[in-house]
Amino acid sequence: MNALSPFVLHSLRYSLSLAKSAVLSGNHPFGAVLCLDGEIVAQAQNTVLTDRDVTRHAELNLVSQATRRFSQEQLARSTLVSSTEPCAMCAGAIYWAGIGEVVYGCSSQVLESIARGGWANSIETLYLSAQNAPRVSGPHLESEAEAVHRDFW
């Protein structure tokens, strides 16, 4: 696993703070940020419960706003940093948006063991048959990312 730059580590910790904020807002603990040219340019958190919409994952909320705000060229240069490994739905949205890279904290396998159920998937496995799939890096800071879930589930 490659070492993350200080900026990406900062971005990952920021996504973890968004996950904690999601809980305070009455939602599940997931947060995500979009990084472009060394800046965090967009952020989102899970709003599944407050929006009463099972598709309102942090990453999907982020992709929805990013595709309206940024060009295809900018999205291709961007990195989506997520507190937890994106699910299959979010991985598809990231792919179709053309986002160039995904970095995540807690793995889906660890999440599944903590939440006692769900669908543990590997985003890298999902992207195996995709052409021009985003680069994927994770898990990173997994003990910090895992703690957010342990406190919730």
Side-chain angles (χ1 to χ4, degrees):
M1 187 87 34
N2 295 335
L4 297 180
S5 72
F7 172 71
V8 175
L9 282 172
H10 164 77
S11 300
L12 184 52
R13 285 194 169 102
Y14 189 67
S15 76
L16 295 173
S17 74
L18 290 171
K20 292 174 188 174
S21 178
V23 171
L24 294 175
S25 298
N27 290 290
H28 301 113
F30 300 93
V33 298
L34 190 71
C35 302
L36 178 63
D37 299 333
E39 290 183 54
I40 294 174
V41 295
Q43 65 183 35
Q45 55 188 271
N46 180 291
T47 58
V48 164
L49 297 175
T50 54
D51 284 349
R52 297 176 52 160
D53 180 345
V54 297
T55 68
R56 298 293 86 208
H57 292 191
E59 300 90 345
L60 196 54
N61 287 336
L62 185 65
V63 168
S64 291
Q65 72 173 274
T67 55
R68 291 189 298 266
R69 289 180 52 200
F70 301 104
S71 70
Q72 198 61 48
E73 185 272 330
Q74 289 172 308
L75 291 170
R77 292 193 342 257
S78 69
T79 300
L80 187 146
V81 180
S82 181
S83 62
T84 304
E85 186 171 11
C87 73
M89 174 182 68
C90 293
I94 293 163
Y95 173 80
W96 290 112
I99 291 170
E101 182 176 22
V102 177
V103 174
Y104 65 89
C106 185
S107 70
S108 61
Q109 290 78 19
V110 167
L111 171 61
E112 182 183 45
S113 71
I114 295 168
R116 295 182 189 91
W119 182 13
N121 62 280
S122 162
I123 189 172
E124 290 173 312
T125 300
L126 292 170
Y127 288 155
L128 279 177
S129 62
Q131 294 180 0
N132 302 313
R135 295 175 307 284
V136 176
S137 182
H140 297 286
L141 303 178
E142 193 158 31
S143 62
E144 291 177 46
E146 179 182 337
V148 175
H149 291 291
R150 287 208 184 279
D151 291 343
F152 180 81
W153 305 100

